[in-house]
Amino acid sequence: MECQECQQRPATFHFTQVINGDKKEVHVCEECAMEKGYMTSPEEGYSLHNLLAGLFNFDSAIMESKQSNAYKQENELKCSHCEMTLSQFKQLGKFGCAACYDTFSGRLDPIFRRVHSGNTQHYGKIPKRQGGNLHTKKQLESYRTELQKLIGEENFEEAAKVRDQIRALEQENGNTEAGDNS
Amino acid sequence: MTLKRFMNEAISPWMREEGPDSDIVLSSRIRLARNFSSVSYPIFADRVKLTEIRDFFKEEYEHRSFQDYEDFAFISIQDLSDVEKRVLVEKHLISPHLSKNEGAAATIISKNEQVSIMINEEDHIRLQLYFPGFQLSKALEKAFQLDDWLEEKVNYAFDETRGYLTSCPTNVGTGMRASVMMHLPALAMTKQINRMIPAINQLGLVVRGIYGEGSEAQGNIFQISNQITLGKSEEDIIGDLQSVVNQLIEHERNARSHIMKQSSTKLEDRIYRSYGVLDYSRVIGSNEAAICLSNVRLGIDLGLIKNVSRNILNELMILTQPGFLQQYAKATLSADERDKLRATLIRERLQLENR
């Protein structure tokens, strides 16, 4: 098959292009593919950020097709701290500041799910000084899970020990968590 | 401590120690991305704010607070020449991204070059630590110590649900990138690596060339790192990585002994020819040098080449990069001149070792 652009060299790239829902088969040689912008040169590459931006735009493409006012309004969503807009965020594929996480929070779960194999919640390290209360909270959570497990296993002796640990930790923490356990 | 130290020696002091499984695993690295809670990220912050961050670290350094932790040097990126920047990148002490950030970018590097802190890279703070051989858990332990120590001084951008808040959504959560640099010549020769990469990718891990994103596997050196940073603890991420690396080590060892049994003459020929090229050539390009160095290193691992240490190859891998050659020559060199100097340096080093 010869290249549909130059009609001289053999076509080495074959792909389907979809523009506004119209499907078109493209058969071109490497030179024409570069020249006509069907693909980028290897130096430009296809970076992770192109890919990320693509993910965001995939969402907006669906929204855009609906042409709703809500979409336009949402796209003007702006971070009050760094003033990054949602459309800038989509274009860059990066956050402007920590507050952006709150500003765009409604849109983030699907993105995180795609990038992090379905995960949206942090399970790792917590900063010691800033996360003081959070440490206790996480510790209590894990004790409670353990308690349920031990009760399920009818291992009441061990369960009593864990219950005492929970009580001790709650008291130490000024009973702030006690309500949760009732 | 001056910048000179980092420039003169190709091999970092920590690389002189041999770690576990160092016939296959060259190094283990942990990188943590952290940010100041109230300042916009470097891509979006104004220069004044970023300069404040840089100066904060500079002051901490000048008040010797960093010295309480380890013997560090503070370097402003804008004070570096192009060649100096390149050398730091080739030694993996700073990232290519940081070297391009003029203005408020800086780095703090420990004397043994095991720890470096990049300031105003994509995130405000990027801590990285290297260990020789396969020592991910030890590297994580030390990274956490440094992180805890730094957290006393800096209010990190952290959220209960999302974890450490980073500029790029791919780093959010733990902010951790753990990676292992592996020499896998037998898996590459038998093309097994091509089949293994997609399987490794499915486990949320990435396989890349030696200089990270978008680079080729030069000299059969592959970097395996975690892709996912959210929803898994640091220990779990490292556990996954360790199990994959252990399997790769086992497969590489099997492939090596298989090739030795099946076609030892061919393999020996390949190794000794490469040794000959390194020992005799007058002009050599970086690609050919990397391939030959990989073959000679395999020869050492298999006990075929006895009078050259593994270290000299680690050193030559870095020394023969364009930035280092120019630093060595103290001049800007054309590609032809670099190929000539590369050949000379390799010949000299190999002969030194043979004495």
Side-chain angles (χ1 to χ4, degrees):
Chain A
M1 186 184 288
E2 72 180 20
C3 170
Q4 65 185 52
E5 292 287 346
C6 63
Q7 274 124 36
Q8 283 169 5
R9 291 176 286 260
T12 47
F13 286 83
H14 311 276
F15 52 90
T16 313
Q17 211 178 27
V18 184
I19 300 169
N20 296 330
D22 289 332
K23 251 189 178 176
K24 200 175 123 195
E25 298 284 331
V26 180
H27 309 279
V28 286
C29 66
E30 193 175 343
E31 286 85 344
C32 292
M34 295 270 203
E35 207 173 294
K36 305 284 172 190
Y38 289 118
M39 61 183 244
T40 51
S41 73
E43 297 95 73
E44 287 168 43
Y46 191 81
S47 76
L48 184 65
H49 297 118
N50 297 129
L51 193 67
L52 273 179
L55 286 180
F56 298 121
N57 288 326
F58 175 73
D59 278 353
S60 57
I62 299 167
M63 303 283 282
E64 213 156 7
S65 66
K66 291 177 187 159
Q67 283 297 325
S68 64
N69 279 334
Y71 165 72
K72 277 179 199 154
Q73 263 177 17
E74 204 212 30
N75 228 10
E76 281 152 19
L77 202 63
K78 199 178 192 179
C79 177
S80 59
H81 181 260
C82 70
E83 304 198 323
M84 180 182 258
T85 62
L86 183 62
S87 32
Q88 276 176 313
F89 169 57
K90 282 183 201 159
Q91 208 185 350
L92 287 166
K94 288 184 190 182
F95 296 101
C97 69
C100 288
Y101 279 86
D102 286 329
T103 314
F104 309 129
S105 90
R107 299 292 305 274
L108 298 180
D109 279 359
I111 307 296
F112 288 158
R113 262 189 221 113
R114 279 193 206 130
V115 180
H116 297 287
S117 289
N119 299 314
T120 57
Q121 280 236 343
H122 174 61
Y123 278 103
K125 194 172 191 259
I126 298 162
K128 283 195 177 124
R129 183 172 50 86
Q130 291 162 268
N133 203 21
L134 199 57
H135 270 288
T136 319
K137 224 170 118 181
K138 291 264 175 188
Q139 185 65 60
L140 280 169
E141 260 174 42
S142 91
Y143 278 153
R144 281 174 197 146
T145 318
E146 202 185 333
L147 182 65
Q148 288 307 318
K149 189 176 148 249
L150 290 168
I151 292 171
E153 288 165 2
E154 300 191 0
N155 186 351
F156 299 113
E157 205 177 317
E158 283 300 311
K161 281 185 200 161
V162 176
R163 182 203 57 206
D164 292 344
Q165 279 172 316
I166 293 174
R167 280 188 187 155
L169 196 59
E170 279 172 353
Q171 259 163 18
E172 207 179 292
N173 204 28
N175 281 329
T176 48
E177 294 287 322
D180 290 354
N181 202 23
S182 58
Chain B
M1 189 168 41
T2 58
L3 176 68
K4 257 193 179 152
R5 262 193 62 94
F6 304 120
M7 295 294 151
N8 289 342
E9 297 271 307
I11 187 163
S12 297
W14 64 266
M15 287 167 97
R16 296 191 189 279
E17 289 166 44
E18 270 205 5
D21 301 306
S22 59
D23 54 332
I24 292 168
V25 182
L26 308 182
S27 62
S28 307
R29 185 197 72 155
I30 298 284
R31 190 211 72 198
L32 299 176
R34 301 288 187 253
N35 285 284
F36 281 69
S37 61
S38 53
V39 185
S40 299
Y41 300 145
I43 46 157
F44 232 65
D46 60 77
R47 178 81 175 260
V48 179
K49 287 279 179 200
L50 293 179
T51 308
E52 275 172 28
I53 289 183
R54 185 196 58 191
D55 291 348
F56 165 82
F57 281 102
K58 200 172 172 207
E59 269 164 42
E60 288 282 335
Y61 169 78
E62 276 161 5
H63 288 109
R64 303 189 63 80
S65 109
F66 277 99
Q67 260 63 6
D68 298 343
Y69 186 82
E70 206 158 316
D71 198 2
F72 281 105
F74 179 92
I75 299 165
S76 247
I77 298 300
Q78 63 182 6
D79 295 343
L80 299 177
S81 71
D82 285 347
V83 169
E84 286 168 334
K85 279 184 234 174
R86 198 156 178 176
V87 167
L88 293 184
V89 172
E90 285 169 6
K91 289 185 90 172
H92 300 274
L93 289 170
I94 63 170
S95 65
H97 185 84
L98 190 83
S99 77
K100 284 177 205 133
N101 281 11
E102 288 289 326
T107 181
I108 296 175
I109 303 172
S110 74
K111 194 177 170 187
N112 65 356
E113 300 175 27
Q114 195 168 15
V115 184
S116 66
I117 303 171
M118 288 182 258
I119 298 148
N120 293 328
E121 211 248 18
E122 185 182 288
D123 293 296
H124 296 139
I125 305 168
R126 288 209 167 173
L127 314 170
Q128 62 168 26
L129 278 116
Y130 283 99
F131 271 79
F134 189 23
Q135 304 193 70
L136 275 179
S137 300
K138 213 168 160 190
L140 181 69
E141 194 186 314
K142 186 136 189 226
F144 274 5
Q145 277 173 16
L146 179 60
D147 186 38
D148 290 344
W149 176 79
L150 204 57
E151 189 229 316
E152 292 292 317
K153 306 171 198 306
V154 178
N155 270 333
Y156 281 159
F158 181 84
D159 177 82
E160 196 172 321
T161 324
R162 308 291 194 199
Y164 292 94
L165 306 177
T166 53
S167 172
C168 187
T170 56
N171 293 320
V172 71
T174 61
M176 182 187 76
R177 208 59 76 187
S179 63
V180 173
M181 206 74 93
M182 303 183 83
H183 183 226
L184 304 172
L187 289 180
M189 257 178 238
T190 55
K191 307 239 187 305
Q192 285 184 70
I193 192 73
N194 296 340
R195 276 182 285 137
M196 294 172 90
I197 289 173
I200 296 171
N201 290 345
Q202 287 196 331
L203 296 169
L205 303 173
V206 210
V207 185
R208 294 197 188 105
I210 181 168
Y211 285 100
E213 214 175 300
S215 72
E216 273 180 46
Q218 216 181 14
N220 297 319
I221 296 178
F222 296 85
Q223 186 198 63
I224 327 286
S225 57
N226 65 302
Q227 177 88 302
I228 294 163
T229 55
L230 197 61
K232 276 186 186 178
S233 72
E234 289 86 347
E235 290 82 0
D236 287 342
I237 293 170
I238 290 209
D240 291 349
L241 195 55
Q242 271 167 332
S243 94
V244 166
V245 171
N246 273 323
Q247 287 183 55
L248 280 167
I249 292 173
E250 201 192 317
H251 284 294
E252 171 66 23
R253 287 198 181 130
N254 288 342
R256 286 181 186 186
S257 67
H258 184 77
I259 302 172
M260 270 302 268
K261 271 189 212 135
Q262 295 292 311
S263 43
S264 64
T265 314
K266 252 179 139 176
L267 182 66
E268 280 179 38
D269 181 66
R270 182 175 173 151
I271 289 167
Y272 287 120
R273 270 172 189 273
S274 289
Y275 188 66
V277 168
L278 294 178
D279 209 15
Y280 285 100
S281 65
R282 266 33 188 184
V283 178
I284 193 165
S286 60
N287 260 343
E288 192 184 1
I291 294 164
C292 290
L293 285 169
S294 166
N295 285 334
V296 169
R297 195 184 148 108
L298 179 62
I300 296 168
D301 292 340
L302 294 173
L304 296 172
I305 295 174
K306 293 197 172 69
N307 50 0
V308 186
S309 64
R310 270 181 204 152
N311 254 343
I312 201 167
L313 293 182
N314 286 343
E315 183 180 358
L316 285 174
M317 283 300 252
I318 296 169
L319 194 63
T320 54
Q321 297 292 320
F324 239 105
L325 289 175
Q326 303 188 71
Q327 164 66 21
Y328 188 87
K330 303 264 178 293
T332 313
L333 302 175
S334 69
D336 288 348
E337 288 169 327
R338 289 204 299 265
D339 291 352
K340 212 171 122 188
L341 180 60
R342 184 178 293 113
T344 309
L345 274 177
I346 292 175
R347 269 199 336 268
E348 277 173 8
R349 296 303 280 135
L350 282 177
Q351 277 152 19
L352 263 174
E353 189 92 345
N354 281 338
R355 251 171 233 158

